[in-house]
Amino acid sequence: MSENIVKGIMPALVTPLNNDRTTINVSALRKLISYHKSQGADGFYVAGATGEGLVLSMDAKKKLIEETVNEIGEDGLKIFHIADMNFENTKILAKYAQDAGADVISAIPPIYFGYDSEDIYNYYKEIAAQVKIPLMLYYTPSANTIIDTALFLRLSEIDNITAIKWTVKDYYKLIELLSQANGKLSIINGPDECCFADFRQAA
């Protein structure tokens, strides 16, 4: 998978819910996507931390995928976070997103139970094997799982792992990874506020 399609400005969508706090508010979702598209968004990251994907039901996640694909159409990159606390659900959602028309799937690493590097590698390898579209690694402190540069580089050898959502403020580690990845990984910035930082003001 030579071409890396993950680039541009891709807002992380909030997930609008109905008053039952369970089902997707489709009307609000369409308005939200339409607004971002009018402002020049190149794509969308759906059901991540901002979208509260981990706490949505499987039915809600599937509905979110379907409606987002329909609304975005061919006018933007469609990235869906598919990780679930139940790994079987993660694999189901990976295939579901691909079949529905996702361009990219994404997943945080396994969390809470203290997984080692081999566990994390096998986790991502099995997710990647479910689909033919790109898989984006989602690296965030909220997952409480450390991935070192060596493991990132090893994961980049898996054919359809092509990108990282870097929601970490450790830019030393980011630069180290970029210098060693030899163009194999596209890294998109997660902490939006860092894009606006003007360090000259602190000088």
Side-chain angles (χ1 to χ4, degrees):
M1 190 170 292
S2 57
E3 183 183 2
N4 198 321
I5 61 175
V6 178
K7 52 190 174 182
I9 297 174
M10 293 161 284
L13 283 180
V14 298
T15 302
L17 300 175
N18 292 309
N19 289 336
D20 60 10
R21 300 182 183 182
T22 302
T23 56
I24 305 299
N25 185 326
V26 175
S27 176
L29 177 66
R30 289 173 179 168
K31 290 177 182 177
L32 184 62
I33 292 171
S34 178
Y35 170 77
H36 283 300
K37 287 168 73 172
S38 74
Q39 298 301 303
D42 298 300
F44 298 86
Y45 191 95
V46 183
T50 300
E52 301 178 285
L54 282 177
V55 296
L56 297 174
S57 69
M58 284 289 284
D59 286 343
K61 290 177 184 179
K62 289 179 177 180
K63 183 68 172 177
L64 182 61
I65 290 169
E66 293 167 7
E67 295 296 339
T68 305
V69 167
N70 289 337
E71 187 63 28
I72 297 171
E74 300 300 318
D75 297 331
L77 196 68
K78 300 172 287 292
I79 306 172
F80 293 98
H81 179 261
I82 48 81
D84 189 275
M85 291 299 290
N86 181 320
F87 189 52
E88 292 306 310
N89 287 344
T90 298
K91 293 188 287 184
I92 290 169
L93 285 169
K95 294 176 182 176
Y96 193 87
Q98 174 183 257
D99 293 345
D103 299 302
V104 180
I105 59 168
S106 179
I108 59 170
I111 61 175
Y112 186 72
F113 292 105
Y115 298 95
D116 62 23
S117 294
E118 199 64 23
D119 295 326
I120 296 169
Y121 177 82
N122 288 328
Y123 165 85
Y124 279 120
K125 183 179 180 181
E126 188 161 353
I127 295 174
Q130 307 303 310
V131 296
K132 296 180 180 178
I133 60 176
L135 167 60
M136 173 190 287
L137 311 179
Y138 183 6
Y139 191 47
T140 173
S142 61
N144 277 335
T145 301
I146 302 299
I147 303 179
D148 60 23
T149 298
L151 180 53
F152 276 125
L153 295 174
R154 185 182 175 202
L155 286 165
S156 75
E157 297 298 325
I158 296 172
D159 185 54
N160 57 332
I161 292 181
T162 62
I164 303 172
K165 184 175 188 288
W166 190 267
T167 310
V168 190
K169 295 177 182 178
D170 186 344
Y171 287 91
Y172 172 82
K173 185 173 181 178
L174 169 61
I175 293 169
E176 177 187 55
L177 177 58
L178 282 171
S179 69
Q180 296 184 41
N182 295 320
K184 290 182 179 179
L185 290 169
S186 175
I187 303 180
I188 64 170
N189 183 71
D192 297 335
E193 65 275 13
C194 291
C195 291
F196 295 99
D198 186 350
F199 296 103
R200 293 172 298 178
Q201 299 297 323

